[in-house]
């Protein structure tokens, strides 16, 4: 059939797979494998480079990949025929398309894994109405615009297939792309984000059904009976898949347990099933990727099986093979075909029709559902997001001769434009951070006059390994004498990346700020939820588990916003290093160190960084079995007062003994210690505040045998380190991040971790042998954000 469109032309000879090398006279660019390798490398470099540049504009990676594909094609670089003939010669397109479609096959399997049928069945009436109108109105307008296109630039194409393809292309909402835009805009876990995700999921499934219809109508055989057979066969395939696939994968999932590797046979069987399903749907006449998508949707989402499958497949597919599909699409896109006022007018018409149908339809139904105007507009812009599915529709239409070159180029530019404008438009009309300003609250520190008031803690953790120590720290913090007790918000920090597994996390935690078990999501979070639920039942502490999903670069914003909305007094963060079996600390994720630093700079309350060395062991210790020795190293200053205030609260627990070590400088030998020029009056004020605080503390503990207070007179930093080394058995050190006084300043020279301060850095250094955990505390000062790079250079204690 290729000869029909290329009469008189000869097909290029097939390429051999591998070459013998340059030294034997072979040009690697004339052989399939080395040329494919070069193409993949160029594609990855270009698309990743564009993604990095567009990150500043808060655009999803799919925008960079579409633009990269267009730039590498005849629209830009391809204008140079020598380049096009050398890098993307016609004889290499078959291999390129095969690799691209194989990557597409597995990516659509991953996209199916992102869609949870149970979540779709539970879609609310508002989201369902938004989805239905958001499909039907653009579909109708797409059919209307197809009459205009067919009368001008698309003459002679199959009428029915062209109508359906245009309707599908204009009515699609890209579910994966939308999820990442919502995450970028901090809307993923809001009510508007939940509604947009639910509506997009319904839209996605409907789009695939319509696409199957369009494909069945677009074959070379014009017989309506053949199209009917294709459609019925596809329907039978879906029914058989529903009956066969879920029980098999449920049986596999039951044999895969949390924390254990999945057997290779299960992974191999899954990938083979995806390929077999793709072969069957291709044989039917729909498309191989349709079968892969159906299998992905039907795989059970409960347990670790689905997540592990994604982790094993997505990096290779999304990172290497999928960008080839965008280049394959870009090689078919020639913007130069859009010439003259008529063509550009048709481009404007298509863009207007696509945007008007989605935005107007969504806004109208949202307003009818009594959604505020700003939220309705934001929903309209969000539902207008296009992406990979749009390109799939267009490429199939191009391959089936339903779309010609000019129409194809117009539709690609429409998809690119509508997705590009989503983020700036939503940002312009909907600013939840400004609209939902939270009133200032009173208790932003642990140090306070009314020690009987409730203490609110935001405890953050990255994984299950942080939980035992966090719970044991909370048990020690509950201050059993306090009338109003302790309220804890346990915030699970999850990174949302471009990976498909990130969307699976969204299904597990759709609503931030509410307990998991109130939302029917326990199956995927049992280990974490059960641990906090059990502790809540065993103690009088109010525990509210929450999930925060965002990119690492913006994670601190959500932490600080949550702390402010929940009116917490202190944020507890895990240190970015974990203890190995030999006792040393190793870095697991260095980017989490940046999160901690940014939280210290912008936090609306006090902050504590916990260096965990197994506080209380690997399990939660019951209150009756708690037996901790806690040491507070007090040099002076606001941070040390905060650490001591925290220690005093912990000391109320009957199983805790508190030792407070205050360091004083021997007056006559101050010259041996590094000194700085400090304003005399400021130093006097801070000294007086410390003395008043300590006097009140000593008065309070006069009759408390569980607390001991000692003063150590030191001459220099060496003596200070010696005193700290002499401290006996201890489970937890409480220290201030920026201690006051000349002694602490002398320790600054040894500070390797600015976020821990001089004393915290000393306690975790390899040459300081201790098995105690360390909690480094920074007191909220209510002033401008701190500069972590510079505040280690000088000591600037100030009055509260």
């Amino acid at each position: 059939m290729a000869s029909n469109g290329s009469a008189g032309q000869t097909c290029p000879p097939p390429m051999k797979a591998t070459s013998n090398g340059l030294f034997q006279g072979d040009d690697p660019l004339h052989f399939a494998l080395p040329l494919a390798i070069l193409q993949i490398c160029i594609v990855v470099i270009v698309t990743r480079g564009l993604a990095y540049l567009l990150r500043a504009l808060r655009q999803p990676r799919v925008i960079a990949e579409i633009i990269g594909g267009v730039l590498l094609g005849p629209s830009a670089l391809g204008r140079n025929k020598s380049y096009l003939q050398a890098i993307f010669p016609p004889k290499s397109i078959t291999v390129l398309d095969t690799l691209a479609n194989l990557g597409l096959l597995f990516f659509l399997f991953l996209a199916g894994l992102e869609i949870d049928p149970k979540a779709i069945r539970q879609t609310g009436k508002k989201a369902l109405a938004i989805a239905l109108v958001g499909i039907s109105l653009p579909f109708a307008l797409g059919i209307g615009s197809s009459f205009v296109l067919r009368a001008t630039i698309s003459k002679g194409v199959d009428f029915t297939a062209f109508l359906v393809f245009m309707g599908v292309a204009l009515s699609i909402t890209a579910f994966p792309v939308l999820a990442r835009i919502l995450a970028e805009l901090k809307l993923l876990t809001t009510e508007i984000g939940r509604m947009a995700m639910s509506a997009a999921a319904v839209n996605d499934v409907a789009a695939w059904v319509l696409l199957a219809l369009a494909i069945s109508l677009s074959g070379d055989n014009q017989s309506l009976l053949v199209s009917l057979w294709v459609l019925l066969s596809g329907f039978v395939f879906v029914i058989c898949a529903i009956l066969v696939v879920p029980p098999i994968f449920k049986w596999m999932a039951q044999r895969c347990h949390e924390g254990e590797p999945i057997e290779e046979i299960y992974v191999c069987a899954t990938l083979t099933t995806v390929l077999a399903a793709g072969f069957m749907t291709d044989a039917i006449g729909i498309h191989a990727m349709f079968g892969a998508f159906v299998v992905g949707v039907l795989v059970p989402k409960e347990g670790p099986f689905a997540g592990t499958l994604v982790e094993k497949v997505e990096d290779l597919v999304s990172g290497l093979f999928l960008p080839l599909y965008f280049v394959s699409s870009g090689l078919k896109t020639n913007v130069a075909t859009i010439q003259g006022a008529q063509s550009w007018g048709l481009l404007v018409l298509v863009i207007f029709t696509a945007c008007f149908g989605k935005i107007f339809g969504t806004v109208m139904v949202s307003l009818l559902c009594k959604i505020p105007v700003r939220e309705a507009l934001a929903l309209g812009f969000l539902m207008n997001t296009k992406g990979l599915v749009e390109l799939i529709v267009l490429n199939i239409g191009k391959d089936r001769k339903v779309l010609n070159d000019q129409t194809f180029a117009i539709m690609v530019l429409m998809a690119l434009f509508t997705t590009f404008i989503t983020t700036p438009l939503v940002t312009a009309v909907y600013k939840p951070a400004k609209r939902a300003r939270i009133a200032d609250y009173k208790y932003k520190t642990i140090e306070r006059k009314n020690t009987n008031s409730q203490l609110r803690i935001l405890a953050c953790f990255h994984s299950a390994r942080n939980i035992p120590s966090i719970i044991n720290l909370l048990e020690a913090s509950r201050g059993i004498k306090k009338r109003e007790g302790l309220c804890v918000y346990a915030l699970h920090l999850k990174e949302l990346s471009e990976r498909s597994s990130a969307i699976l996390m969204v299904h597990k935690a759709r609503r931030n700020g509410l307990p998991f078990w109130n939302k029917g999501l326990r199956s995927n979070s049992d280990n974490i939820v059960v641990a906090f639920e059990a502790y809540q039942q065993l103690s009088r502490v109010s525990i509210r588990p929450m999930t925060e999903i965002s990119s690492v670069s913006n994670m601190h914003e959500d932490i600080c916003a949550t702390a402010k909305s929940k009116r917490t007094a202190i944020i507890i963060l895990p240190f970015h290093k974990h203890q190995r079996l030999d006792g040393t600390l190793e870095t697991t994720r260095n980017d989490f160190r940046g999160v901690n630093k940014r939280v210290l700079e912008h936090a609306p309350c006090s902050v504590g960084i916990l260096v965990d060395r197994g506080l209380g062991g690997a399990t939660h210790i019951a209150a009756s079995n708690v037996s901790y020795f806690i040491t507070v190293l007090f040099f002076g200053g606001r941070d040390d007062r905060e650490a001591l205030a925290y220690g005093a609260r912990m000391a109320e627990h009957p199983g805790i003994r508190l030792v407070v070590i205050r360091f004083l400088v021997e007056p006559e030998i101050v010259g041996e210690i590094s000194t700085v020029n400090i304003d005399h009056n400021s130093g006097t004020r801070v000294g007086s505040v410390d003395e008043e605080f300590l006097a009140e503390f000593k008065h309070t503990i006069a009759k408390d045998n569980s607390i001991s207070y000692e003063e150590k007179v030191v001459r220099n930093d060496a003596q200070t380190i010696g005193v700290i080394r002499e401290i006996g058995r201890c489970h937890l050190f409480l220290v201030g991040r920026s201690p006051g006084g000349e002694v602490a300043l002398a320790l600054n020279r040894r500070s390797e971790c600015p976020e821990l301060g001089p004393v915290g850095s000393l306690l975790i250094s390899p040459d300081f042998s201790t098995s105690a955990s360390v909690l480094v505390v920074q007191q909220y000062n209510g002033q401008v954000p701190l500069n972590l790079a510079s505040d280690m250079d000088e000591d600037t204690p100030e009055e509260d």
Side-chain angles (χ1 to χ4, degrees), residues 604-627:
C605 60
S606 296
V607 181
I609 297 180
L610 177 64
V611 182
D612 180 21
R613 287 195 174 105
L615 179 63
T619 58
H620 165 229
I621 297 178
S624 58
N625 297 328
V626 170
S627 180

Side-chain angles (χ1 to χ4, degrees), residues 502-797:
I503 306 302
L504 293 179
M505 292 191 305
V506 177
H507 292 306
K508 299 176 185 179
R510 292 284 288 278
R511 297 291 299 277
N512 198 10
L514 294 174
F516 289 135
W517 52 87
N518 283 355
K519 304 311 298 177
L521 297 171
R522 293 197 50 175
S523 59
N524 293 305
S525 306
D526 275 342
N527 290 344
I528 293 172
V529 174
V530 169
F532 285 110
E533 190 176 29
Y535 174 62
Q536 179 173 245
Q537 293 175 351
L538 293 172
S539 65
R540 293 183 296 174
V541 176
S542 172
I543 301 281
R544 302 181 187 179
M546 302 159 60
T547 300
E548 184 267 312
I549 306 173
S550 67
S551 61
V552 172
S553 60
N554 297 324
M555 193 171 282
H556 68 285
E557 296 178 4
D558 288 339
I559 295 173
C560 295
T562 303
K564 188 172 183 180
S565 66
K566 304 306 178 186
R567 304 170 185 267
T568 59
I570 187 169
I571 302 170
I572 303 294
L573 299 168
F575 192 47
H576 69 280
K577 293 183 179 182
H578 295 289
Q579 188 176 32
R580 300 171 57 181
L581 293 177
D582 60 2
T584 59
L585 295 172
E586 65 173 351
T587 301
T588 51
R589 289 284 303 272
N590 199 52
D591 45 2
F592 283 134
R593 181 184 186 185
V595 174
N596 291 352
K597 287 183 175 182
R598 291 188 288 272
V599 172
L600 285 168
E601 292 177 2
H602 303 288
C605 60
S606 296
V607 181
I609 297 180
L610 177 64
V611 182
D612 180 21
R613 287 195 174 105
L615 179 63
T619 58
H620 165 229
I621 297 178
S624 58
N625 297 328
V626 170
S627 180
Y628 297 154
F629 284 86
I630 297 177
T631 301
V632 177
L633 303 179
F634 190 91
F635 294 87
R638 66 168 68 247
D639 290 353
D640 280 21
R641 295 198 301 273
E642 186 77 350
L644 182 52
Y646 200 174
R649 183 183 180 97
M650 288 182 172
E652 295 175 3
H653 197 292
I656 291 179
R657 291 192 59 188
L658 178 68
V659 177
V660 181
I661 308 293
R662 185 190 184 189
F663 292 89
L664 297 172
V665 181
E666 192 168 333
E668 62 270 18
I669 318 182
V670 169
E672 295 185 14
I673 301 175
S674 301
T675 59
V676 292
N677 294 325
I678 303 176
D679 180 74
H680 179 72
N681 293 330
S682 175
T684 302
R685 285 200 307 273
V686 173
S688 63
V689 172
D690 286 343
E691 294 299 334
E692 291 175 7
F693 179 81
L694 288 172
E696 184 177 349
F697 172 74
K698 285 186 278 188
H699 175 73
T700 304
I701 67 169
K703 297 180 181 180
D704 192 339
N705 296 327
S706 65
I707 303 178
S708 61
Y709 174 85
E710 303 176 28
E711 293 186 350
K712 299 289 185 180
V713 179
V714 294
R715 300 182 178 184
N716 48 41
D717 57 335
Q719 285 192 0
T720 305
I721 295 172
V723 171
I724 297 175
R725 289 185 187 276
E726 291 173 2
I727 296 173
R729 178 171 168 265
C730 174
H731 295 95
L732 176 68
F733 282 103
L734 278 171
V735 299
R737 179 177 162 264
S738 298
E742 290 85 352
V743 173
L745 188 64
L747 293 174
N748 251 347
R749 295 193 297 265
R750 303 173 182 270
S751 177
E752 297 179 358
C753 296
E755 68 271 25
L756 297 184
V759 183
S761 296
L762 171 67
L763 293 173
I764 70 160
S765 62
D767 56 349
F768 192 90
S769 178
T770 180
S771 60
S773 298
V774 182
L775 182 64
V776 181
V777 180
Q778 171 185 282
Q779 186 180 67
Y780 174 73
N781 61 14
Q783 297 185 358
V784 293
L786 302 172
N787 187 331
L788 284 176
S790 63
D791 75 0
M792 286 290 98
D793 298 333
E794 58 180 356
D795 181 58
T796 56

Side-chain angles (χ1 to χ4, degrees), residues 26-193:
D26 285 348
D27 184 351
L29 297 183
H30 293 164
F31 294 83
L33 179 62
L35 182 57
I37 292 173
L38 178 63
Q39 290 171 343
I40 292 173
C41 291
I42 292 174
V43 168
V44 171
I45 291 171
V46 170
T47 55
R48 291 289 175 161
L50 286 171
Y52 178 79
L53 295 176
L54 291 174
R55 189 182 302 170
L57 300 177
R58 306 175 77 178
Q59 295 293 335
R61 198 173 75 197
V62 66
I63 290 289
E65 290 170 332
I66 295 175
I67 294 176
V70 172
L71 290 178
L72 291 172
S75 298
L77 294 176
R79 291 178 177 272
N80 185 327
K81 300 301 179 184
S82 299
Y83 151 82
L84 201 62
Q85 189 63 34
I87 306 300
F88 296 103
K91 58 185 176 182
S92 73
I93 299 302
T94 301
V95 175
L96 180 67
D97 284 348
T98 302
L99 290 174
N101 279 280
L102 191 62
L104 179 69
L105 189 78
F106 284 107
F107 183 82
L108 266 295
F109 166 68
L110 298 178
L113 282 175
E114 292 179 351
I115 295 178
D116 188 355
K118 291 182 180 179
I120 293 178
R121 286 197 295 269
Q122 297 170 359
T123 299
K125 293 181 180 179
K126 290 183 181 180
L128 186 60
I130 290 171
L132 293 178
V133 176
I135 295 171
S136 55
L137 183 58
F139 191 86
L141 292 176
I143 292 177
S145 63
S146 66
F147 284 97
V148 179
L149 291 172
R150 195 168 182 272
T152 52
I153 63 174
S154 297
K155 297 178 180 179
V157 299
D158 180 66
F159 178 72
T160 307
F162 186 65
L163 261 62
V164 178
F165 265 100
M166 287 296 298
V168 173
L170 267 63
S171 62
I172 284 175
T173 295
F175 177 78
V177 179
L178 174 64
R180 282 156 182 94
I181 290 176
L182 288 169
E184 181 67 36
L185 297 176
K186 304 296 181 188
L187 299 175
L188 193 59
T189 52
T190 63
E191 181 66 21
I192 187 175

Side-chain angles (χ1 to χ4, degrees), residues 224 497 669:
L224 184 62
S497 63
I669 318 182

